[in-house]
């Protein structure tokens, strides 16, 4: 995006295209769109929303938003998946900078300006920052605290922050359109983790993925335990598939949750065997297996007090359930995904054709 003399090849405020896939997001999409319309960016902008087959009024709402502002364009995403919606919106938009937006996200007013400034300064083809999870209810707040804690999601930079610099992946992403088209956009076979896989191809093509903590995006967590469990099981399933298909040096850290799950299950089974031994009059040495679930319960209890202590008793009580939900659903999904049970993506090693 700059020449060898350091002079910019493009205007200082190139046009940006916001692309947003939505599906049954009527509670959040208006706030997400409002945050785009409130940007202080000086260049031309357009907003392209790819709406999946929703049943909660999302389609009607985004049509209403479209009628109110000519910069908003709405497309039908018949497939309904996130990568399919993103690709539809990218292909239908026009500006040289593509900013991915999530229906659960709210961008700060300076997001686009800071992101483009960072791209021009670093020459990066994708820039992203921190997912700043914030809840409205006590349950959502517990989920948000889990997102932002090392005991919850492991402490990756785009969750807890870190130094600016090259990264394997970033949250959402602000992309150079030319690079997106060159590598083939998002792989629609990958329902979760498609951003990591896309960034992998960008780097393979010689591009730079850049993390900066200056970019913070408010993220609204799932509103129920059932939705949270479904989200993390699916995320773990696809992370397992991606880790199996594309092993890297960082893959080992993804095994922590499944090892934790297997250890607790095994320890519990051994402890139950110890009860049988005790009932049979034998030395109940297998009762030592209960040490694993007891230790885990103590960690969850301590984390709930430390991480959510300032948020009130209700949030702390929810945290006692949220952490095991995240760990067990993600870990179980990972084991199944690593065991090739994410069907229909056997050709993952072959990247999509460039457009």
């Amino acid at each position: 995006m700059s020449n060898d003399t350091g002079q910019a090849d493009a205007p200082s405020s190139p046009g940006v295209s916001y692309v947003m896939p939505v599906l049954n997001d009527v509670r959040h999409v208006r706030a997400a769109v409002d945050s785009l319309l409130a940007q202080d960016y000086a260049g031309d902008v357009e907003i392209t929303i790819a709406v999946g087959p929703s049943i909660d009024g999302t389609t009607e709402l985004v049509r209403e938003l479209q009628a109110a502002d000519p910069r908003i364009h709405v497309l039908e995403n018949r497939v309904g998946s996130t990568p399919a919606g993103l690709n539809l919106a990218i292909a239908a938009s026009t500006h040289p900078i593509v900013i991915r937006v999530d229906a659960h996200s709210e961008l700060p007013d300076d997001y686009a300006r800071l992101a483009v400034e960072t791209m021009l300064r670093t020459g990066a083809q994708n820039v992203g920052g921190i997912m700043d999870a914030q809840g409205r209810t006590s349950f959502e707040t517990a989920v948000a605290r889990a997102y932002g804690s090392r005991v919850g999601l492991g402490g990756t930079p785009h969750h807890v922050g870190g130094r600016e610099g090259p990264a394997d992946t970033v949250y959402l992403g602000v992309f150079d359109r030319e690079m997106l088209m060159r590598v083939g956009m998002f792989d629609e076979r990958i329902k979760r983790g498609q951003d990591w896989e896309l960034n992998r191809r960008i780097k393979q093509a010689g591009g730079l993925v850049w993390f900066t903590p200056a970019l913070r995006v408010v993220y609204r967590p799932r509103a129920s335990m059932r939705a949270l469990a479904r989200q993390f099981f699916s995320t773990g399933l696809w992370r397992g598939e991606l880790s199996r298909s594309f092993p890297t040096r960082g893959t080992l850290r993804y095994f922590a949750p499944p090892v934790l799950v297997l250890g607790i299950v095994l320890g519990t089974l051994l402890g139950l065997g110890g009860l049988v031994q005790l009932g049979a009059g034998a030395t109940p040495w297998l009762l030592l297996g209960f040490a694993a679930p007891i230790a885990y319960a103590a960690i969850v209890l301590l984390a709930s007090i430390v991480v959510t202590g300032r948020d009130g008793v209700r949030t702390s009580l929810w945290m006692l359930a949220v952490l095991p939900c995240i760990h067990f659903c993600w870990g179980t999904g990972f084991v199944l995904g690593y065991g090739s049970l994410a069907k229909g993506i056997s050709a993952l090693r072959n990247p999509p054709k460039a457009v």
Side-chain angles (χ1 to χ4, degrees):
M1 304 188 76
S2 62
N3 57 33
D4 292 338
T5 65
Q7 305 247 331
D9 306 347
S12 58
S13 297
V16 300
S17 299
Y18 299 101
V19 296
M20 182 193 310
V22 300
L23 175 67
N24 292 322
D25 288 309
V26 72
R27 290 184 63 226
H28 303 287
V29 68
R30 183 185 292 275
V33 172
D34 285 346
S35 76
L36 306 184
L37 298 175
Q39 293 292 299
D40 63 10
Y41 189 67
D44 294 333
V45 302
E46 62 181 344
I47 302 170
T48 305
I49 303 173
V51 57
S54 302
I55 59 174
D56 67 345
T58 297
T59 303
E60 293 77 9
L61 176 56
V62 295
R63 292 294 182 189
E64 176 186 325
L65 296 172
Q66 178 186 31
D69 195 305
R71 294 171 293 178
I72 300 175
H73 312 283
V74 177
L75 306 172
E76 182 182 4
N77 175 16
R78 295 183 179 179
V79 175
S81 71
T82 295
L86 286 167
N87 285 347
L88 280 171
I90 292 168
S93 59
T94 59
H95 291 310
I97 305 296
V98 176
I99 300 181
R100 177 181 175 179
V101 185
D102 188 284
H104 285 250
S105 66
E106 297 171 25
L107 306 188
D109 295 351
D110 58 359
Y111 183 85
R113 175 171 55 82
L114 291 178
V116 173
E117 288 175 358
T118 302
M119 292 185 78
L120 295 173
R121 171 172 57 86
T122 63
Q125 283 68 47
N126 184 18
V127 170
I130 297 173
M131 185 182 77
D132 182 15
Q134 296 182 19
R136 294 187 176 98
T137 67
S138 56
F139 172 78
E140 292 174 1
T141 300
V143 177
R145 297 299 185 208
Y147 267 109
S149 68
R150 297 186 184 280
V151 72
L153 294 184
T156 54
H158 63 271
H159 286 123
V160 301
R163 292 183 178 179
E164 182 180 35
D168 289 333
T169 192
V170 292
Y171 178 56
L172 296 179
V174 178
F175 299 89
D176 170 43
R177 178 181 294 277
E178 181 181 347
M179 176 59 78
L180 267 181
M181 306 309 282
R182 188 195 310 175
V183 301
M185 299 189 291
F186 289 89
D187 190 331
E188 296 183 18
R189 297 167 297 180
I190 304 175
K191 308 308 179 187
R192 297 273 186 176
Q194 64 277 146
D195 49 350
W196 179 90
E197 192 277 332
L198 172 61
N199 285 316
R200 171 183 170 274
R201 282 185 279 124
I202 288 175
K203 291 188 294 181
Q204 284 184 334
L208 175 64
V209 178
W210 192 265
F211 168 80
T212 172
L215 296 177
R216 299 185 71 94
V217 179
V218 172
Y219 172 83
R220 299 301 181 186
R222 296 300 189 268
S224 70
M225 189 67 74
R226 179 179 179 180
L228 182 70
R230 187 166 57 244
Q231 176 191 14
F232 273 91
F233 178 80
S234 178
T235 301
L237 184 74
W238 285 94
R239 174 53 61 188
E241 172 62 35
L242 290 171
S243 296
R244 183 182 61 82
S245 299
F246 308 115
T248 65
R249 286 179 300 175
T251 297
L252 285 178
R253 69 184 181 89
Y254 295 120
F255 282 87
V259 168
L260 173 69
V261 170
L262 292 174
I264 292 172
V265 170
L266 179 60
T268 301
L269 292 175
L270 289 175
L272 292 174
L275 293 177
V276 173
Q277 288 178 322
L278 186 63
T283 303
W285 61 272
L286 289 177
L287 287 175
L288 293 174
F290 280 135
I294 291 173
Y296 176 73
I299 291 172
V300 169
L301 178 61
L302 179 62
S304 298
I305 295 172
V306 172
V307 176
T308 63
R310 67 182 185 277
D311 299 304
V313 175
R314 287 178 61 85
T315 300
S316 295
L317 291 175
W318 273 121
M319 193 68 155
L320 294 173
V322 164
L323 284 175
C325 177
I326 290 175
H327 294 156
F328 278 79
C329 291
W330 198 99
T332 302
F334 183 93
V335 171
L336 297 177
Y338 200 82
S340 306
L341 295 184
K343 302 296 184 182
I345 52 173
S346 59
L348 264 182
R349 289 184 180 273
N350 300 316
K353 296 180 179 179
V355 176

